[in-house]
Amino acid sequence: MPTRRNFLLSSAAAAAAAPTLALAAQSSQPEKLPPAIAALTNRHAEAVPITLAEREQRLERARALMHQNNIDAIVITTGTSLTYFTGLRWGQSERFFAWTLPATGAPFIVCPVFEEGRVRERMESKPATLPSASTTRVYTWNEDEDPYQLLAKALNESGLATCKIGIEERTQFVFADGIAHASAALTITSATPVTSGCRSIKSPAELALMQLANNITLAVYKACYQSAQPGMTNRQFSQMVDLAYTRCGVTGDASCQVGEYSALPHGSLQPQVIQEGEIILIDDGCTVEGYQSDISRTFVLGDPTIPKLDKARKVFDIVLKAQSAALAAAHPGAPCHTIDAAARDLIAAAGYGPDYKYFTHRLGHGIGMDGHEWPYLVRGNTTPLAASMCFSDEPGIYLPGEFGVRLEDDWHVTEDGGKMFTPQSPSLEHPFGKI
């Protein structure tokens, strides 16, 4: 753990830290790393991928939701929802590529003719990832042809000449517009009731991956906290986090904001230097088999008894109580907005209101394969919580020109209430408990 004695060491040590870490990253020699980071181990083998059987179940869940919402088919072009349902990872392009799932019948793919080989390679891969691959038909179009007319033809051959099509929310406008004008017999609507309806309820396999991602992030943060030095820049700290994630066998990152810049919830581009007694706010997470973590910690290095930190300690305690209040308000059936209100009301009552004045953002967001996804813990959202939904819980108080404090942990809804994936941060001086 960083101490006042460490802070009294020459800041030249920090100036040397970045090249040392860079050398260690290039050479993969643990002896060149700070001991706490060198002690991290590769945890990739702990991750159990999502199975083909689970993806088949996702298709059945999607079809049930399509029937409930009077949607005849959903069209997904690229992005996270495509990977969620099919296991395919397909880069965004100006060329139309779409996987379509009818409420009744087999799915089909529309793609450029020169991509058919790549599509079929993935359909036939071992282990298999694409559900219903044996019955999935591939329609191809040449560069001088209209892919949207081809989509309309494929729908017609699936018995959906006249139908309501759900478009995934992150579909490029040019694609959504092309689908909308492909046929006067097609009606366009949002696919969010289906895609979010599936993705917002996590399976035990998904929860296990998210637990691992959160465990790794907390271990990385702790190791980097133990390795921080006076005079280190915020960018050097972030680079150290990147390297620590590499040691763990995953990809991840963290922003680092110091002093007055911690009052900006998403930080500043200004170069910053870590000093004794300055607030440090770190945020972000890692990805494990496509599932994400998102954790924030606020702490100080050096002598914890510095008088100027008295105000920061009081603010930290308020934010910690607000985080706990939000978690305590969570249970199946509770509207999303009540979780935000539990934290916001406590912060306002402690003198940091009204409303969004110092707690400037919503209480939290859904999380899973995307860092931010449906549903959101925000005023006005009446969506009821359900077991196995996952969220961030991240209240904050931001004092412009002074400092900001945010505490963020991910959690999931159980039949008995909310449950954190990771322990809450107990104090400004001991963000990971006494070490």
Side-chain angles (χ1 to χ4, degrees):
M1 172 183 171
T3 66
R4 183 175 178 82
R5 178 174 177 272
N6 292 337
F7 267 92
L8 294 176
L9 297 175
S10 170
S11 61
T20 299
L21 290 173
L23 178 62
Q26 294 169 6
S27 63
S28 300
Q29 295 178 11
E31 65 270 14
K32 296 184 180 295
L33 297 171
I37 294 178
L40 296 171
T41 58
N42 192 314
R43 304 184 66 177
H44 177 76
E46 298 177 44
V48 179
I50 299 300
T51 64
L52 178 62
E54 180 159 329
R55 287 202 174 90
E56 295 282 6
Q57 293 169 2
R58 292 172 179 179
L59 266 57
E60 293 310 308
R61 169 67 175 159
R63 290 186 171 108
L65 290 171
M66 289 158 67
H67 287 299
Q68 291 175 23
N69 290 277
N70 298 312
I71 296 174
D72 298 301
I74 59 171
V75 177
I76 300 176
T77 53
T78 58
T80 309
S81 288
L82 179 70
T83 304
Y84 174 84
F85 285 110
T86 71
L88 294 174
R89 290 176 170 81
W90 205 267
Q92 183 170 295
S93 167
E94 79 282 4
R95 294 183 174 97
F96 182 70
F97 172 97
W99 176 81
T100 299
L101 179 68
T104 302
F108 60 84
I109 291 172
V110 174
C111 73
V113 66
F114 67 85
E115 295 282 30
E116 182 177 6
R118 191 157 68 107
V119 170
R120 293 196 180 279
E121 180 183 59
R122 283 156 176 74
M123 291 173 66
E124 298 165 4
S125 66
K126 302 295 180 183
T129 62
L130 182 74
S132 303
S134 64
T135 58
T136 296
R137 185 169 179 180
V138 180
Y139 292 81
T140 61
W141 57 277
N142 283 306
E143 296 277 42
D144 61 344
E145 296 176 327
D146 185 342
Y148 310 108
Q149 290 298 318
L150 183 59
L151 175 68
K153 174 187 175 182
L155 288 167
N156 184 53
E157 292 181 0
S158 295
L160 298 172
T162 301
C163 64
K164 182 186 288 187
I165 303 296
I167 304 296
E168 204 270 346
E169 64 181 299
R170 300 191 181 186
T171 301
Q172 294 166 256
F173 174 79
V174 65
F175 293 166
D177 187 59
I179 295 169
H181 292 92
S183 169
L186 299 180
T187 302
I188 302 302
T189 190
S190 171
T192 298
V194 178
T195 55
S196 176
C198 290
R199 290 177 54 187
S200 64
I201 307 296
K202 271 58 177 183
S203 69
E206 292 177 291
L207 290 174
L209 289 170
M210 294 185 68
Q211 181 68 68
L212 179 57
N214 278 272
N215 290 349
I216 291 172
T217 293
L218 199 65
V220 163
Y221 279 8
K222 181 178 178 181
C224 291
Y225 165 73
Q226 292 175 288
S227 305
Q229 300 177 21
M232 179 180 284
T233 69
N234 62 324
R235 292 181 182 178
Q236 288 170 351
F237 188 96
S238 294
Q239 290 167 356
M240 189 164 60
V241 171
D242 293 345
L243 181 55
Y245 278 128
T246 299
R247 291 284 299 165
C248 293
V250 300
T251 58
D253 54 26
S255 65
C256 175
Q257 305 302 321
V258 182
E260 64 182 296
Y261 298 107
S262 62
L264 302 174
H266 281 171
S268 168
L269 295 177
Q270 292 299 314
Q272 302 157 46
V273 178
I274 295 171
Q275 302 290 354
E276 179 178 11
E278 289 285 352
I279 293 291
I280 302 168
L281 173 55
I282 60 175
D283 181 30
D284 280 320
C286 70
T287 302
V288 175
E289 286 291 331
Y291 287 83
Q292 302 201 24
S293 60
D294 191 3
I295 296 177
S296 297
R297 287 292 180 265
T298 304
F299 55 88
V300 294
L301 299 177
D303 189 347
T305 64
I306 298 174
K308 75 172 185 177
L309 291 176
D310 289 347
K311 182 177 182 180
R313 278 191 287 271
K314 291 176 182 177
V315 169
F316 183 100
D317 289 343
I318 294 167
V319 173
L320 179 58
K321 290 175 182 177
Q323 188 187 45
S324 297
L327 188 70
H331 58 83
C336 283
H337 68 84
T338 62
I339 314 306
D340 178 278
R344 195 168 304 280
D345 291 349
L346 188 148
I347 287 174
Y352 288 96
D355 208 19
Y356 285 82
K357 184 174 182 180
Y358 296 109
F359 178 14
T360 55
H361 52 76
R362 66 193 173 205
L363 184 277
H365 51 80
I367 186 169
M369 293 185 73
D370 283 319
H372 291 191
E373 61 183 41
W374 296 96
Y376 298 98
L377 303 176
V378 64
R379 179 180 298 154
N381 187 358
T382 59
T383 302
L385 300 186
S388 298
M389 284 182 171
C390 297
F391 300 92
S392 68
D393 180 353
E394 50 179 309
I397 293 175
Y398 308 96
L399 306 178
E402 296 186 63
F403 63 86
V405 172
R406 179 169 67 254
L407 298 175
E408 178 182 16
D409 290 279
D410 301 330
W411 61 282
H412 58 103
V413 183
T414 75
E415 295 295 343
D416 298 322
K419 181 180 180 181
M420 292 288 194
F421 285 109
T422 45
Q424 292 170 271
S425 181
S427 70
L428 197 64
E429 299 87 350
H430 303 289
F432 306 95
K434 292 188 176 181
I435 301 172

